Amino acid sequence: MQTVAFLLQMAAKSIRVYFFTALHDIVVKAKLLYVFLLVSFSMVFSTNLAADEFNKFFIQEVRVCYDENEALSSDTFFLQSCNKMPLGDVKLGNNLTWIGSTFDLHVSELLDKPIGLFFSAQAAAEFYFNGELIGRNGYPSAQPEGEKVGVMDFVIYIPKGLLKKRQNELVIKLSSHHKVYDISTSIPFAIITYYGSPQNIVLRNYLPTLLSLGILVIGLVFSSQLVLQGSNPRRSTFWLPVFSLLVVLQLLVEVSRGLIAYEYPYHDVRLVVILLLGMLSGVCLLLYIIDSFVKSHRWAYFSLSMLLTFAFIYLGNTIEEKTVFALQIPAGISFCISAYQALKVHDNAMKHASALLVFFFVIAINPNQFLDLYFYCFVAVLLLFFFIQHSIEYKTEQSQKQLAQKRAEQLQRVLDECNEQQTPSKIKLNLTDKEEWVSCDSICFVKGARDYVEISLLDERSVLHNETLTIMEEKLPVTFLRVHRSYIVNKQFIQSLQKLPSGGGHLLLSTGATVPVSRRIMPKIKKQLM
């Protein structure tokens, strides 16, 4: 409990630290879901403690007889020479199948509560306990038209008077004419336990998935926001919400067995849907890794990876094994891709390779148990890792963009300052009694007067400025021309140029003033005014 709470706190802290500011409100709301997860885990923990109090008896080995001529009965079953085998190995054919088992029960420990047989099978069934018919699930028959389909999970009450401490006999008559596919175990389990709703018994096994479902939903919401709020998101980020959505759907289909009492023909359809969702999840995992780390020949990588994945799925013996391969093989290939990129010193590839390697070997240690107990928890943790890594990358990219923007703004300020120095919009004039900033556009021309200059303004004023004409020429923008050793003219006020026989000339300004042009500068002026 403390370990999971600590992991959740670390995950929430990572999200708060690394996730972008725009999702702050969502993170605040997610705290409610965080509390919900803790409460859910507490419920699971307490439920598991309560479950330990149940005195369960699992029927593991049975005797099996196939009744082609409808000659068997519950009374004569144990007189037949039937085959012994594990319950999970029983194959239901196109005829009647009888299974039976003898076992001892600690009756004294069970008398305080009603006892039932929890039976799960893709078949219609008829149940006999110590020679007495105790109930039916559907109606088994040797002919398809005579069979009434039963539900997949069924609980039947065992009268207390039939219970014995030793040598209890259970006989079950079965038929399974309406199976859609023959791809899974026909009889997953038979358990004698306290009587209760079959859906509650099934759902109790799925309660731990509430924790992983919460993480998957958080990952789906946040990764979707990561894609939607990115101005130019990388293609790899698109696969995270798709991956999350597929796993959430797969988990909901899995849990539906504990919510809906469906008839047994739909069980294989449900398993096929789970397999297809698992295959699509594996495809998304591959595409995520390929788009994250492979720069060229992406479709070649993807095509070869999928061929290998489909080969393993085809070679799987059971639907459960195929479902495991659907995600395990893409995870192994994704590890190889990210590990290879890590050797090429690709940023972030080593972290992904390490996570995928752990994920691959956890599946390989015990694939069947992994699928039943840990699958969604480990997928949720893997997705949470991907999500946090993308949050970190997004935060880093945003910091780099902000730094680049700051540098660009600083450079722009420097350029503006340089431009202002070269072409100032205003100039400071030192007058006799004050200092005055004057717009350069309002200066018509400047006339030199030894250590002073006389400035003619657009408002018909003429002011005396305490600087030489040479210094004024350096300060004024490029729109001003030196036309005479004693004059500088603003080009925007020039109306016409009049040549003189001596080679010089006069500039007529739009203000009505006339400014002389020296013979030496005349060619330059003519070129400027062309």
Side-chain angles (χ1 to χ4, degrees):
M1 178 71 178
Q2 294 178 350
T3 303
V4 174
F6 174 75
L7 290 174
L8 288 173
Q9 290 172 357
M10 293 298 294
K13 182 178 179 182
S14 299
I15 292 171
R16 288 196 301 269
V17 172
Y18 295 115
F19 206 65
F20 42 88
T21 307
L23 292 180
H24 176 72
D25 292 339
I26 299 178
V27 174
V28 172
K29 294 177 182 178
K31 291 179 181 177
L32 297 176
L33 186 54
Y34 168 73
V35 173
F36 168 74
L37 293 178
L38 290 179
V39 174
S40 299
F41 183 77
S42 300
M43 293 173 57
V44 173
F45 186 72
S46 60
T47 303
N48 286 339
L49 288 179
D52 291 339
E53 299 175 357
F54 282 72
N55 189 343
K56 298 178 181 178
F57 179 79
F58 290 83
I59 298 174
Q60 298 178 340
E61 188 173 68
V62 293
R63 299 175 64 183
V64 183
C65 288
Y66 296 100
D67 187 6
E68 297 180 0
N69 301 317
E70 299 186 59
L72 294 180
S73 68
S74 61
D75 297 329
T76 61
F77 175 79
F78 287 102
L79 301 177
Q80 309 298 318
S81 57
C82 300
N83 297 324
K84 288 186 177 181
M85 65 181 66
L87 181 66
D89 292 344
V90 175
K91 298 296 183 183
L92 301 178
N94 294 323
N95 46 33
L96 287 175
T97 303
W98 293 77
I99 63 172
S101 178
T102 58
F103 48 86
D104 299 335
L105 289 174
H106 300 289
V107 178
S108 60
E109 299 178 10
L110 300 175
L111 289 177
D112 56 336
K113 294 182 181 180
I115 303 302
L117 170 64
F118 175 46
F119 190 71
S120 180
Q122 292 180 272
E126 194 171 82
F127 303 89
Y128 298 86
F129 195 86
N130 289 330
E132 297 289 334
L133 175 65
I134 59 174
R136 293 185 179 90
N137 176 25
Y139 195 93
S141 173
Q143 303 300 325
E145 58 273 12
E147 177 186 291
K148 181 180 178 181
V149 174
V151 297
M152 181 65 192
D153 300 303
F154 183 75
V155 172
I156 188 166
Y157 172 68
I158 302 176
K160 292 182 180 180
L162 295 180
L163 294 171
K164 297 188 298 185
K165 288 187 176 181
R166 295 185 179 276
Q167 294 298 308
N168 289 281
E169 294 182 349
L170 174 65
V171 178
I172 306 174
K173 178 183 178 182
L174 301 160
S175 68
S176 182
H177 297 293
H178 294 86
K179 288 185 68 174
V180 180
Y181 312 106
D182 189 13
I183 56 176
S184 61
T185 303
S186 297
I187 309 176
F189 42 77
I191 307 171
I192 295 178
T193 182
Y194 293 138
Y195 183 85
S197 167
Q199 275 63 55
N200 289 342
I201 295 174
V202 172
L203 194 58
R204 188 181 298 119
N205 295 325
Y206 290 122
L207 283 178
T209 60
L210 288 176
L211 181 64
S212 57
L213 178 61
I215 296 175
L216 289 169
V217 171
I218 291 176
L220 174 59
V221 173
F222 284 167
S223 56
S224 298
Q225 291 295 323
L226 187 69
V227 173
L228 295 176
Q229 296 208 7
S231 58
N232 187 23
R234 288 183 296 176
R235 188 167 60 177
S236 60
T237 60
F238 170 77
W239 301 115
L240 282 181
V242 179
F243 190 13
S244 303
L245 177 61
L246 289 170
V247 177
V248 167
L249 292 176
Q250 185 176 347
L251 177 55
L252 292 177
V253 174
E254 186 78 51
V255 175
S256 66
R257 181 176 176 181
L259 301 174
I260 304 170
Y262 56 80
E263 295 179 341
Y264 80 79
Y266 296 102
H267 184 66
D268 282 336
V269 176
R270 169 179 163 272
L271 294 179
V272 169
V273 172
I274 292 174
L275 172 60
L276 291 176
L277 289 171
M279 291 170 60
L280 292 174
S281 300
V283 171
C284 284
L285 177 61
L286 269 173
L287 289 172
Y288 167 73
I289 295 297
I290 290 173
D291 283 344
S292 295
F293 302 114
V294 178
K295 301 302 180 183
S296 59
H297 306 296
R298 289 178 174 176
W299 282 110
Y301 275 90
F302 176 73
S303 300
L304 291 174
S305 300
M306 291 313 302
L307 284 175
L308 184 61
T309 301
F310 287 140
F312 272 88
I313 292 174
Y314 177 77
L315 294 174
N317 295 320
T318 64
I319 189 70
E320 292 82 5
E321 193 173 84
K322 294 176 186 291
T323 304
V324 169
F325 283 154
L327 196 59
Q328 184 187 25
I329 302 306
I333 297 172
S334 298
F335 159 73
C336 295
I337 293 173
S338 53
Y340 174 72
Q341 295 298 327
L343 294 177
K344 298 172 66 175
V345 199
H346 191 291
D347 292 341
N348 214 26
M350 182 57 72
K351 295 178 182 178
H352 283 73
S354 301
L356 289 165
L357 181 63
V358 172
F359 184 73
F360 179 84
F361 276 111
V362 166
I363 303 176
I365 291 173
N366 194 336
N368 293 329
Q369 190 177 19
F370 172 83
L371 186 63
D372 292 337
L373 301 177
Y374 311 122
F375 178 82
Y376 298 103
C377 293
F378 277 96
V379 171
V381 171
L382 183 65
L383 272 169
L384 184 61
F385 167 79
F386 290 156
F387 166 68
I388 292 176
Q389 291 301 312
H390 264 286
S391 299
I392 295 172
E393 291 178 11
Y394 182 87
K395 182 64 177 179
T396 302
E397 289 176 0
Q398 291 301 306
S399 299
Q400 292 175 349
K401 288 181 180 179
Q402 291 175 1
L403 180 60
Q405 181 67 25
K406 185 177 180 180
R407 289 175 177 173
E409 291 174 355
Q410 290 176 346
L411 178 60
Q412 187 61 45
R413 283 197 297 270
V414 172
L415 292 174
D416 291 342
E417 290 174 0
C418 292
N419 187 54
E420 181 66 22
Q421 291 176 0
Q422 293 179 2
T423 58
S425 58
K426 289 186 177 183
I427 191 168
K428 185 173 72 171
L429 300 181
N430 299 319
L431 307 182
T432 55
D433 57 345
K434 62 180 179 179
E435 292 182 351
E436 182 179 348
W437 287 92
V438 177
S439 172
C440 293
D441 292 337
S442 66
I443 299 175
C444 298
F445 65 89
V446 180
K447 179 181 178 182
R450 295 189 179 179
D451 294 334
Y452 293 86
V453 290
E454 182 181 345
I455 300 176
S456 178
L457 300 175
L458 186 61
D459 59 4
E460 299 184 353
R461 286 190 301 152
S462 184
V463 297
L464 197 64
H465 174 52
N466 185 19
E467 274 185 342
T468 64
L469 191 65
T470 302
I471 295 175
M472 281 296 295
E473 184 180 10
E474 293 175 355
K475 289 185 175 182
L476 289 170
V478 294
T479 55
F480 284 78
L481 290 175
R482 183 75 173 263
V483 297
H484 193 276
R485 66 178 182 177
S486 300
Y487 286 90
I488 299 176
V489 177
N490 191 341
K491 289 194 295 184
Q492 64 182 355
F493 292 105
I494 297 175
Q495 192 170 20
S496 63
L497 172 63
Q498 183 180 3
K499 298 180 182 178
L500 297 177
S502 61
H506 287 95
L507 288 173
L508 178 62
L509 305 185
S510 58
T511 59
T514 302
V515 177
V517 178
S518 68
R519 182 180 59 182
R520 180 177 57 86
I521 303 178
M522 177 61 77
K524 180 180 178 182
I525 298 302
K526 291 172 65 177
K527 185 176 181 180
Q528 287 282 337
L529 296 179
M530 288 181 62

